[in-house]
Structure formats: structure tokens, C-alpha cells
Amino acid sequence: MKTLVLNSGSSSIKYSLFDMGEQSVIVSGLIERIGEAESRHRFELHLADTEARCDEKNAIIGDHRQGLQNLFTLLSECGALKNAAELVCIGHRVVHGGEHFRQPVLIDADVIEQIRQMIPLAPLHNPANLLGIEQAIEQLPSVPQVAVFDTAFHQTLPPPAYHYAVPADWYRQYGVRRYGFHGTSHYYVAKRAAAHLGQDLRALNLITLHLGNGASMTAIANGQSIDTTMGMTPLEGLIMGTRCGDIDPALPFFLERSHAFSFSELENQFNKHSGLKGICGENDMRAIHRLAEQGNESARLALEMYAYRIKKYLGAYYAALGHVDALVFTGGIGENDTWLRQHCCDNLHALGIEVDRNKNQSGDAECFAINSDSAPVSILVVKTNEELEIALQSLACVQS
Ligand code: ADP
């Protein structure tokens, strides 16, 4: 039983083909720079009875149609997929499902239209997601296709958490509210954490921290998202690689009025040139640590600011939840950065949060604990796997 997961960006297609029996990847890869002269298709094969190998398929990939043709040719040539009938479904990552989509859905013409109507809420992502969906349907019309939304897990937010204190008409007329993102990852690591703790997720209060290039935290009460740091767009909340996160909302007015910035220039600056990059010129956390170790003051400041913003939200979400069973770190930074995990939990003993220095150094497992034995709040590090979660949800959707 095989499921293909597609994450289609504006100039890239990331994919994984899963054997759902084993829940293991057979082929994964990235087609990037679509439409450019340097377009390329890199992949990793994990075929039965042969050693895993990485390779690259040279081809000019002018658009998403050619990208998927290239992918399906590869899957058939390497024997990973003999024919379309072997695929139970294709699961598509869709960034914005608005208030309409609370769970995964089998894609039909109505669903495509709804995703299209959500474009103003996610102008960079939803059009690219749609390109992948439409091409996959055209090329494999007999295979059921499922949309899995980044926003869906956060549709349980209560009104006080999702409304902004702006004119109420904006919510009704324009859909202005907090939606939240990274939902698939927050849900996946919450499930893994519950399994690790040997408890039912519906009985757990968690704070999940997805810290990658994009970053967000979620407060989970009895297994449901009740607040999350990203908002109407993925710009709000934590400091990110290149995104500013929370700022004074009057900053754009000041910069526009007094320094002649246009709104589109500000949008670009807040999204692409702020965050860690804005503070110290680097957005890769490993490089920032190297710079800080060499005495670079702005790199040190970036690290301190990054950890401080997380710590503030830890306090806020602790208060929102009242009781916390576990913190769950994930994403490239959350899974690997021992300094960061230690620093954002420093001096939180009063909340029952205490990192064990030795346990924090160790661990390459999919899921491990780093809290001190006596601390009441578990602190877990869980490797996220959004692709697997999309595959599982898609399969459940077609089988329901
Ligand atoms: P994306 O959001 O694009 O999926 P990732 O989850 O892969 O990103 O996270 C990328 C971030 O993780 C980068 O800032 C990278 O420097 C950081 N990272 C990866 N490995 C480590 C490590 N060993 N220590 C600290 N940061 C790391």
C-alpha cells in the first residue's frame, strides 16, 4: 500500500513516496528551481534489498507539469511504482484552509475552488499548492487526491485566542483572525509525545515548539490547539530565520511616513530580511553559534533575543493552560540546538521546568526526554515528520 506526499512550492516540489505498511519512505526528493536554467531533481532511494542511495536526475524542468512528469518517470524507472493503481492516494500539503477546512478532505472541483478562494490569505503558498494538485490530477486522474491543511489543527482555537482587537467587521468581511500554521507538525509531535509518555493525547496539556526556518509554538489543552504564535499569516510570533515575528504594529506607519518605505518594501523586509538575519546578518542557526563563539556581538544578541522570545511565550502559554504535562521541542533548531533548549528553559524551576544538562547533550533518537528526573514537567525532543503525518491523514481520509 503506497501513498505519495507532495509539497508543491512556487518553484519547487518536495515529495515522499511511503510504504504505508512499514510507514517508511521508499523514495523522497526535491525538484527545485523549476522554470530556471539550473533546475534539478535530487532524490534518495530506499528500495528493498538494495542500499539507500542519493542521486540526481538531469532535466530541464520548465514548469510543475514537467516536474511531476519527471517524478513519475523516475518512480516507474526505479521500480518504486509500477503503475498508478499501486497508489492508494496522493496527499497534498496545503498551507491555508481558512475556517472552511478543519480536517483533511478528498479533493474535487469544489475543494479546488475553496482553496482558490483562500489565495488572498496565503498569496505565496496556496497558488503553488494548487499547481501541484491540478497537475497531479491531470497526470494521475484515477488516484484519489487528498488536501491536508497546515491551518486545520488550529481550528479548535477559542474566540478569545483567535480574534484580534480590531474592528469586528474585519473578521466578518475580510476573514481577519488568527489561523496559525505548522499544524501538521504540532499535531504529529504531540502524538509522538503522548506515545512516549504512555498517555492518551486527549488527557495531556502540552506546549509544542516547532523551531525551524519558520518557527511557532502551540498551547495544547487535552490534545487540542488552544493558542498558537503564528497569526493571520506566518509572520507573527517567534523570531524566525528571516521573519520578524511580533513587532509594534505601528512600525510600518512610522517607516512609511517618516522614511518613505512602501508597504510592499516593508512586507519584503519583515519577511525576508528580518528575524535572525536582520539582527546579525545570518539566518542559519549553526552559523550564528559559530559567529557568537568567535565573539561576534550581534550573533550573541540574536541568540539571546531568540531564546528570550520563546521564554516569554512559555510563560504566556503556561498561564493559558494552567497545568503543563510536557514541552516538546522539534524542527531543525528544536531537535538539535542544546544551547537554545537550555537557555529558553533557564530559571523556570518555579514552573516545574528544568533541563538536565547531561540528557540535553545526548540523543539522536526519534524521541527522547531532557528534563531532570525530579522536574514535574517533561521536556521532550521529538523529530518531526510532516510528510508521514500527511500520508497517514490522507490514507485515513480515503479509507473513511
Ligand atoms: P525548515 O523550516 O526549512 O524545514 P529546518 O526545520 O530544517 O527548516 O530547520 C533549519 C534550521 O535548523 C536552520 O537554522 C539550521 O541552522 C538549524 N539546525 C540544523 N541543525 C542544527 C544543529 N545541529 N544545531 C543548531 N541548529 C541546527
Side-chain angles (χ1 to χ4, degrees):
M1 200 163 38
K2 293 172 185 172
T3 293
L4 177 67
V5 172
L6 292 180
N7 181 355
S8 171
S10 56
S11 63
S12 68
I13 301 170
K14 199 174 163 193
Y15 66 87
S16 300
L17 177 70
F18 285 94
D19 173 338
M20 297 310 287
E22 304 280 323
Q23 295 196 1
S24 61
V25 174
I26 307 167
V27 185
S28 63
L30 176 67
I31 300 166
E32 54 189 338
R33 300 188 166 214
I34 294 174
E36 294 178 33
E38 303 83 36
S39 58
R40 62 180 175 195
H41 179 178
R42 286 190 293 183
F43 54 88
E44 226 175 287
L45 298 175
H46 303 263
L47 300 172
D49 307 325
T50 51
E51 270 198 21
R53 74 178 171 93
C54 298
D55 211 335
E56 191 163 332
K57 204 166 157 58
N58 288 324
I60 302 213
I61 300 161
D63 55 19
H64 284 65
R65 176 194 303 262
Q66 287 175 2
L68 286 186
Q69 278 167 349
N70 200 273
L71 165 58
F72 295 134
T73 307
L74 167 76
L75 295 181
S76 133
E77 277 174 6
C78 73
L81 197 67
K82 290 188 194 75
N83 53 53
E86 272 195 291
L87 272 183
V88 193
C89 58
I90 299 180
H92 295 268
R93 176 186 182 221
V94 180
V95 167
H96 218 305
E99 285 188 336
H100 192 81
F101 295 111
R102 301 177 70 90
Q103 51 211 3
V105 61
L106 209 53
I107 299 173
D108 60 16
D110 278 353
V111 170
I112 290 180
E113 185 49 34
Q114 289 286 346
I115 297 173
R116 200 181 308 286
Q117 284 183 14
M118 242 79 78
I119 287 176
L121 296 173
L124 298 179
H125 293 104
N126 275 28
N129 300 155
L130 274 173
L131 272 178
I133 289 173
E134 288 174 331
Q135 278 310 313
I137 291 176
E138 197 174 308
Q139 294 184 37
L140 295 182
S142 59
V143 180
Q145 318 247 348
V146 178
V148 178
F149 301 90
D150 262 20
T151 46
F153 180 56
H154 302 300
Q155 276 300 302
T156 46
L157 257 58
Y162 72 67
H163 278 297
Y164 291 114
V166 293
D169 278 356
W170 294 0
Y171 168 63
R172 290 188 286 270
Q173 289 180 9
Y174 313 133
V176 169
R177 54 158 289 176
R178 176 183 310 284
Y179 292 97
F181 299 87
H182 287 149
T184 311
S185 176
H186 286 291
Y187 177 60
Y188 176 80
V189 299
K191 265 197 324 191
R192 292 298 303 254
H196 182 90
L197 297 170
Q199 296 199 48
D200 187 336
L201 178 57
R202 287 168 299 185
L204 283 177
N205 281 8
L206 306 171
I207 300 175
T208 48
L209 303 94
H210 178 108
L211 310 175
N213 282 317
S216 66
M217 283 168 67
T218 295
I220 297 176
N222 299 316
Q224 296 200 323
S225 172
I226 61 148
D227 205 352
T228 191
T229 55
M230 284 180 168
M232 164 112 179
T233 73
L235 190 57
E236 192 181 346
L238 302 181
I239 293 172
M240 304 176 222
T242 61
R243 287 178 235 157
C244 57
D246 295 341
I247 51 168
D248 182 339
L251 219 57
F253 318 138
F254 164 74
L255 291 166
E256 189 262 348
R257 196 181 305 122
S258 304
H259 299 283
F261 279 85
S262 68
F263 281 116
S264 60
E265 170 63 5
L266 288 171
E267 187 174 31
N268 184 40
Q269 291 289 336
F270 288 152
N271 277 291
K272 304 259 173 68
H273 302 280
S274 296
L276 294 169
K277 189 169 191 173
I279 305 164
C280 71
E282 258 296 345
N283 59 300
D284 187 298
M285 197 50 114
R286 288 163 292 195
I288 297 173
H289 278 292
R290 281 195 293 275
L291 286 172
E293 277 155 25
Q294 291 158 11
N296 183 305
E297 282 303 321
S298 51
R300 165 77 32 206
L301 177 65
L303 293 174
E304 298 287 351
M305 286 171 66
Y306 190 90
Y308 180 63
R309 179 77 53 89
I310 292 171
K311 184 185 259 192
K312 283 211 289 191
Y313 271 112
L314 280 178
Y317 285 176
Y318 200 105
L321 289 164
H323 164 83
V324 176
D325 295 296
L327 311 185
V328 187
F329 284 93
T330 193
I333 297 170
E335 290 164 24
N336 296 297
D337 195 325
T338 53
W339 181 94
L340 191 270
R341 292 196 299 246
Q342 177 73 56
H343 271 71
C344 55
C345 295
D346 261 352
N347 296 318
L348 295 181
H349 318 282
L351 300 182
I353 296 171
E354 203 172 281
V355 169
D356 179 302
R357 281 181 188 277
N358 290 327
K359 291 190 201 165
N360 190 28
Q361 298 304 320
S362 65
D364 195 31
E366 297 278 303
C367 177
F368 59 97
I370 60 166
N371 54 287
S372 59
D373 292 338
S374 58
V377 178
S378 297
I379 308 176
L380 304 177
V381 179
V382 179
K383 279 201 172 67
T384 195
N385 194 338
E386 288 162 282
E387 289 78 19
L388 175 59
E389 185 56 36
I390 291 171
L392 290 168
Q393 292 191 19
S394 302
L395 185 61
C397 180
V398 293
Q399 288 180 338
S400 67

